[in-house]
Amino acid sequence: THALLIMNLIVFLWTARNSRTRMKLLKSNFHIARGDWYRIISALFVHGNVGHLMMNSLSLWNLGESLFGTWKFLALYLISGSIANGATFLLNVSPFSLGSSGSTFGLLGALTGYILRNQQLLGKRSSFLLTGIQRNIIMNILSGFMQPNIDNGAHIGGFAGKYFDGSLPLNIFRHKHAYDTAGLALALII
């Protein structure tokens, strides 16, 4: 988590001083169609302003790698963000986008899939966790409709892409008591 947060900050400071670099890194459907596939991943580290960086960083920090383990967290982050940006490219939903919220939604999707698959193990906690995730997602999607330039397609694509991973019988969580950490992470997000 720390490495991703630092990388996001470094890229933000770098692109804030150089708008040409920002334009070369953000997701641009036109440029991706012409072969700049790196933009699907590079856009995850570019943020529009300090508020955008802070919101995504806070979400990332709250979910944290302790829930998944370092390498699984990094993989989920990169894959879900790539799925999110790839989906909005293929569907041509948003011609330009930037930020890591598709990755964050992917982490929430993996968590949701895991909770749904393990409701018997989690007991009453599962409904509490799912309600919190649902509220968070609804708030973010509604916010996306009310504010211009927010790519809800990336939010939905990231969530859906990793939801299916979390609902598969894979051990994406680090330890048997991951639901305690998941509950804490969700409470911090809300």
Side-chain angles (χ1 to χ4, degrees):
T1 306
H2 294 102
L4 287 172
L5 293 171
I6 291 168
M7 191 164 172
N8 281 331
L9 179 61
I10 289 170
V11 171
F12 175 75
L13 294 173
W14 181 36
T15 58
R17 294 178 152 270
N18 188 339
S19 61
R20 181 175 264 176
T21 301
R22 178 184 295 179
M23 294 304 291
K24 287 183 178 183
L25 296 176
L26 61 77
K27 188 203 86 158
S28 162
N29 288 353
F30 174 78
H31 289 95
I32 292 170
R34 296 185 77 186
D36 291 349
W37 291 96
Y38 70 89
R39 290 173 179 262
I40 288 175
I41 294 177
S42 66
L44 302 176
F45 301 97
V46 181
H47 292 82
N49 57 45
V50 172
H52 186 212
L53 174 68
M54 295 305 294
M55 285 302 294
N56 282 337
S57 295
L58 181 62
S59 295
L60 201 57
W61 177 262
N62 286 336
L63 281 168
E65 66 190 50
S66 64
L67 184 60
F68 302 102
T70 302
W71 295 109
K72 289 177 188 174
F73 182 81
L74 179 62
L76 284 169
Y77 177 88
L78 293 173
I79 292 168
S80 58
S82 298
I83 289 170
N85 286 339
T88 63
F89 165 70
L90 292 173
L91 299 173
N92 202 24
V93 175
S94 177
F96 299 98
S97 67
L98 45 84
S100 59
S101 56
S103 295
T104 303
F105 270 75
L107 293 165
L108 284 172
L111 179 60
T112 300
Y114 175 84
I115 292 167
L116 288 172
R117 188 173 62 82
N118 292 288
Q119 284 183 343
Q120 290 181 346
L121 171 71
L122 299 173
K124 293 178 183 178
R125 292 180 184 182
S126 64
S127 63
F128 169 76
L129 294 169
L130 291 171
T131 299
I133 291 171
Q134 182 181 36
R135 286 181 188 150
N136 187 288
I137 290 168
I138 289 170
M139 283 188 325
N140 279 285
I141 297 293
L142 289 176
S143 173
F145 285 121
M146 291 187 266
Q147 297 178 39
N149 302 322
I150 292 184
D151 190 357
N152 270 335
H155 294 165
I156 295 166
F159 180 86
K162 296 323 290 174
Y163 163 78
F164 293 110
D165 282 358
S167 61
L168 294 173
L170 303 172
N171 183 18
I172 63 167
F173 291 92
R174 183 178 229 172
H175 48 78
K176 292 179 183 176
H177 302 291
Y179 54 86
D180 291 330
T181 308
L184 177 60
L186 183 61
L188 291 172
I189 289 172
I190 296 169

